[in-house]
Amino acid sequence: MFRILRQSLRTGVVTERAPACDDAELERLGIELRRQIGEQFAHSLAIRQVDAGSCNGCELEIHALNNPYYDVERFGIHFVASPRHADALLVTGPVSRHMETALLRTWRATPSPKLVIAAGTCACTGGEFGVSYASCGAVENVIPVDVKIPGCPPAPLDLLRGLLAAISREGRCRTGVQLRARRQPAPPQTQVL
Amino acid sequence: MSAFDWLSEYLARLEDEHVLVRHGEAKSLSPAHRLVLDAEDWGMAGSVAAGMGCRWVGAWGDPRELNVVVRVCLEHLGDYLVIETEVPLSRPLLASHTPYFPGANRLERHLRDLSGVAFLDHPDRRRWTRHQAWPDGDFPLRVDYPAAGRSHKRAQADADYPFAGIHGGGVYEIPVGPVHAGIIEPGHFRFQAVGEEVLRLEARLGYVHKGIEKSAVGRDPGGLARLAGRVSGDSTVAHAWAACQAMERAATCNVPPRAAILRALFSERERIANHLGDIGAICNDVGFAFVHVQCARLREQWHRRSAELFGHRFMMDAVIPGGVAHDLTPEGAALLRMDHAALRQVIEPLFDIVDDHPSLDDRLLSTGYLSNADARALGCTGYVGKASGQGFDVRRDNPYSPYDTHPVTVPVETAGDVAARVRVRMAEVRISLSLMDQLLEAMPAGAIAAPMPTPQSNSVGLGLVEGWRGEVLSFVRFDAQGRIARFFPRDPSWFTWPALERLIQGNIVPDFPVCNKSVNGSYAGQDL
C-alpha cells in the first residue's frame, strides 16, 4: 500500500490541462470541446467505437485518448459498450466485407440523430487496402459519414480535433477537418465496387 | 547439434518410409533448407517431422496458372526447413498435417479457403477465413480470380457457421461479438458454460479479413513494406521488418549494419511499448487501475519519443526495403539513453508491486493455465510459449543481423498461468532496455539504406523475425517484372488463439478478459 501511495505521489498528476500541444489554439480546443458537449449533449458525449476492419493501429490511438495525458472523460466524452447508448459511432478501418452487415446493424441500433465519424485513412478512403473482393473500402460506402479524420493512424490530438469538428460548427471551421453535409437518415446504399 | 544433423536424420527417416525427395537445397529460402517432395508423400513428411519433435511454423499456398505450390515451414533446434510440393488445379488434394500438428488446423483451412487445396484427412471440414463475402468454390488467391471479386452484393452475416455445441443439464451458451463492448478488434467468441465455469470456448475469426495477400500482388517492394506494416498495427515494425528481410534475401540486398541496428532498436521499442500497455491492461482487467494508469503514462511518453525521433508514434513505415527511413542523430541517441535510464528507474518499483501484490496474486496466479504440452503441440512462440516452458526466440535460436552479434537472453517460465505471462513480459522489458543500450553503443556510422537490386523472376525469400508477440514469418515471391507475385505474412497469433481456447477451460467467465489480454492475439494479423 505504501509503495503504491509513494509511487502515485512521486508521479503526481501528468494530465495536461488541455489536449497537450504546443500551440495555443489547441489549448482552446479542449475547453471548446467541453462547452459544445455541455450545450449539445448535456455534458456527456457517448461514443461507440466500431472496428470494421482496421489493423488495430487506430484502436491503439483511440485507447490513448483515455490515458492520463489526454483523459478525454474530463471533457464529457466516454466510450460505451452498446450502440444503443451511443450518440456517435467512431468507425475505423476499411470496412471488410465480413464486417459489412455487422457495421450496418450497429448503425441501425444507434439512436438518431447519430453522428458517424470515420477515423483513420482507411476509414476515410480505404487506405492501403482499398476496395477488393474482401474490402468495401471507405466507411461511407456502407453507412453515411458525417466527419472524416484522416491519419495512419490519427494521433490522439487529431482525434480530439475531429471529435470537436463533429459536434461544433465552429470547430469544423477552425480545425479544417474534412466534413460533409449531414445527410438525412436514409437507408444506406451499399456500394461495393 | 547443427542443422545438418537433424536434416540428415530427417532425410534418413523419409527414406525409410520410401519418400522420394525430388530436390533439396539450402540457398533460395535461406536460412531455411528447402526440400521438394511428391504430393502423395505430404502426409508422411508431416508425420516424420512430428516424430522428430519439429515445430510446425506455417503453411501457405502459391497458386500458379496450372497448379498450386504448397509450402510448409518446420523448425527444430533453431533450424528451419521448408518442405514444398505442388498439386494440379484439376486435382488439388493433399494430406493434412493437422493430425500430427494441432496448430496446423486453421492455417490449412485458410489455405483451402483462399487457394483451394483440399486437405483430405483434415479433422475439421468447416470454413475458416471465408464467411459470406465469396461463395464456396471461389478461391481468391487463384491467378484467374479478380482482385475486385465477382459479387457486388452485400455480404451477409455468417449466421449459420456450425459451432460445436455442448449439450446437457445447466449448460448455456454466451455468444460475444463480432462487435465487442470495448475498443477492440472484431471477432466472435462462443462460450459454453455451466454456472460461472467455462466448459469450452470457440473463437470464430476472419471478420477483418481484407484480402492482404491478394492486394500485395503486383506491388513494388516499397509498396509491400507499407502493406506489411499494416498487417497488424501494433506489430508494424515486426511485420515490415520480416517482409523487407524476405524481399532483401530474394533480391540479395545487403542491409547496411547501421540500418540493421536501427531496425532492432525500432523492434525493441515496439516490444517495450506493447508489453507496458498489456501489463497495465492485465492489471486493469482485475480491477487494479493503479498499474494501468502508470503503464499508460509510460507508454504515451514512449510513443511521443518515437514520433519525435523516428517520425511516427508506432514507427510505421520506418523500415523500408534495403534499410530504414530515419537516421538517429547523436543528440537523439543521448535522449534515448536518458529515456532508457529513466524507464528502468520507474519500472523497478512498479514491477515490484505487480510481482507480489496480494490482490494481483489472488487473481493472476493459476488463472488461464496453458500446459507445456499444449504450448508445444500448438507451436506457441513469444511470451505465451515462454511462459509455458517453450523458450524459442528467433533472435537467439536463429539470429539475424544485428542479433547475431548482440545475443539476447530469453526469459522462460514454467508456471503457464497469467502471472507467468506477465513475468515473462516484465523480464522482456528489462532485457530489451539493456539490449537497446548495447545497440546504441555499437551503432556504426554509415548509410541507413542500400538500394534494392531488381530481383530475378520467381525469386523467393523467407523473412523470420522475433516480433513482440513471437516469431513472425514472411514469404515473398517476385514475378518477372520485379513485382510481388505472392506475399504471405504469418503472425504468431495463428497459434496463440487456439492456445486461448485451451487455457480458458475451467476458468470462470469473468476471468476471460484477463486471460485474453495475457495472450493478446492479433485479430488483424490472423485474419489477413
Side-chain angles (χ1 to χ4, degrees), chain B residues 212-264:
Chain B
I212 286 179
E213 290 163 271
K214 189 79 176 179
S215 64
V217 176
R219 284 179 182 245
D220 60 5
L224 184 73
R226 273 199 310 280
L227 182 69
R230 284 155 184 84
V231 166
S232 177
D234 49 28
S235 304
T236 173
V237 174
H239 274 284
W241 190 355
C244 287
Q245 201 184 59
M247 289 189 283
E248 287 149 6
R249 283 172 178 166
T252 52
C253 168
N254 287 318
V255 177
R258 186 175 177 86
I261 288 206
L262 281 167
R263 283 179 176 184

Side-chain angles (χ1 to χ4, degrees), chain B residues 9-22 36-48:
Chain B
E9 167 77 18
Y10 182 67
L11 289 171
R13 290 203 198 179
L14 285 182
E15 205 175 321
D16 289 347
E17 303 292 344
H18 309 290
V19 171
L20 189 66
V21 176
R22 293 275 167 198
V36 181
L37 306 170
D38 284 335
E40 63 259 32
D41 295 327
W42 195 247
M44 184 52 75
S47 157
V48 170

Side-chain angles (χ1 to χ4, degrees), chain B residues 33 85 99 107 115-116 145 176 213 227 231 291 314 323 394 403 423 451 462 509 526:
Chain B
H33 284 249
T85 191
L107 267 163
S115 305
Y145 192 87
V176 183
E213 290 163 271
L227 182 69
V231 166
V291 176
F314 306 144
V394 191
Y403 298 106
R423 286 198 299 275
L462 194 65
V509 177
Q526 200 269 185

Side-chain angles (χ1 to χ4, degrees), chain B residues 44 51 104-105 111 209 236 254 267-268 290 293 301 325 397 432 454 458-459 477:
Chain B
M44 184 52 75
N105 185 321
L111 201 165
H209 174 73
T236 173
N254 287 318
S267 175
E268 299 307 324
F290 162 76
V293 176
Q301 292 173 345
D397 298 313
S432 289
T454 311
N458 264 329
S459 55
R477 179 169 64 84

Side-chain angles (χ1 to χ4, degrees), chain A residues 3 8 11 16 48 51 53 55-56 61 63 67 69-70 81 96-101 128 133 152 193, chain B residues 129 147-148 152-155 180 182-183 186 206-207 209-210 219 230 233-234 297 300-301 304 312-313 356:
Chain A
R3 285 181 305 178
S8 292
T11 309
E16 288 157 347
R48 171 72 268 226
D51 175 343
C55 71
N56 199 28
E61 292 296 44
H63 262 297
N67 79 28
Y69 278 88
Y70 303 102
S96 75
R97 298 201 63 200
H98 291 167
M99 277 301 286
E100 192 179 356
T101 297
E128 248 347 278
Y133 77 93
C152 187
L193 304 174
Chain B
T129 303
H152 296 226
K153 284 189 297 198
R154 175 152 69 84
H180 289 158
I183 304 169
Y207 286 93
H209 174 73
K210 40 196 180 281
R219 284 179 182 245
R230 284 155 184 84
D234 49 28
R297 172 179 74 89
E300 176 66 21
Q301 292 173 345
R304 287 181 179 195
H312 192 283
R313 284 165 58 90
D356 70 356

Side-chain angles (χ1 to χ4, degrees), chain B residues 388-452:
Chain B
S388 293
Q390 293 293 307
F392 180 80
D393 190 309
V394 191
R395 295 173 298 169
R396 181 194 63 188
D397 298 313
N398 199 319
Y400 45 101
S401 176
Y403 298 106
D404 47 356
T405 46
H406 294 89
V408 181
T409 356
V410 178
V412 182
E413 297 268 344
T414 49
D417 54 5
V418 175
R421 288 188 280 281
V422 172
R423 286 198 299 275
V424 167
R425 285 156 174 268
M426 292 194 295
E428 287 199 337
V429 170
R430 294 190 181 104
I431 292 165
S432 289
L433 270 177
S434 52
L435 184 66
M436 286 193 301
D437 278 341
Q438 289 172 35
L439 291 170
L440 285 175
E441 205 61 49
M443 185 141 29
I448 55 162
M452 270 285 280

Side-chain angles (χ1 to χ4, degrees), chain B residues 137-304:
Chain B
D138 273 12
F139 304 111
L141 282 182
R142 291 272 177 93
V143 180
D144 59 352
Y145 192 87
R150 286 177 178 153
S151 161
H152 296 226
K153 284 189 297 198
R154 175 152 69 84
Q156 297 300 313
D158 196 24
D160 57 352
Y161 180 78
F163 286 97
I166 294 183
H167 301 283
V171 179
Y172 65 100
E173 270 197 346
I174 313 173
V176 183
V179 179
H180 289 158
I183 304 169
I184 337 173
E185 300 180 81
H188 183 94
F189 297 110
R190 188 64 64 96
F191 296 90
Q192 270 105 23
V194 165
E196 289 222 273
E197 192 181 319
V198 178
L199 292 178
R200 194 171 181 287
L201 162 68
E202 191 176 344
R204 172 79 177 124
L205 304 178
Y207 286 93
V208 287
H209 174 73
K210 40 196 180 281
I212 286 179
E213 290 163 271
K214 189 79 176 179
S215 64
V217 176
R219 284 179 182 245
D220 60 5
L224 184 73
R226 273 199 310 280
L227 182 69
R230 284 155 184 84
V231 166
S232 177
D234 49 28
S235 304
T236 173
V237 174
H239 274 284
W241 190 355
C244 287
Q245 201 184 59
M247 289 189 283
E248 287 149 6
R249 283 172 178 166
T252 52
C253 168
N254 287 318
V255 177
R258 186 175 177 86
I261 288 206
L262 281 167
R263 283 179 176 184
L265 201 64
F266 300 162
S267 175
E268 299 307 324
R269 285 187 74 77
E270 180 171 87
R271 193 181 318 278
I272 288 181
N274 283 296
H275 282 341
L276 281 177
D278 279 0
I279 291 167
I282 289 167
C283 294
N284 194 47
D285 277 341
V286 294
F288 199 64
F290 162 76
V291 176
H292 178 57
V293 176
Q294 294 289 335
C295 284
R297 172 179 74 89
L298 298 172
R299 183 179 184 164
E300 176 66 21
Q301 292 173 345
W302 203 248
H303 286 323
R304 287 181 179 195

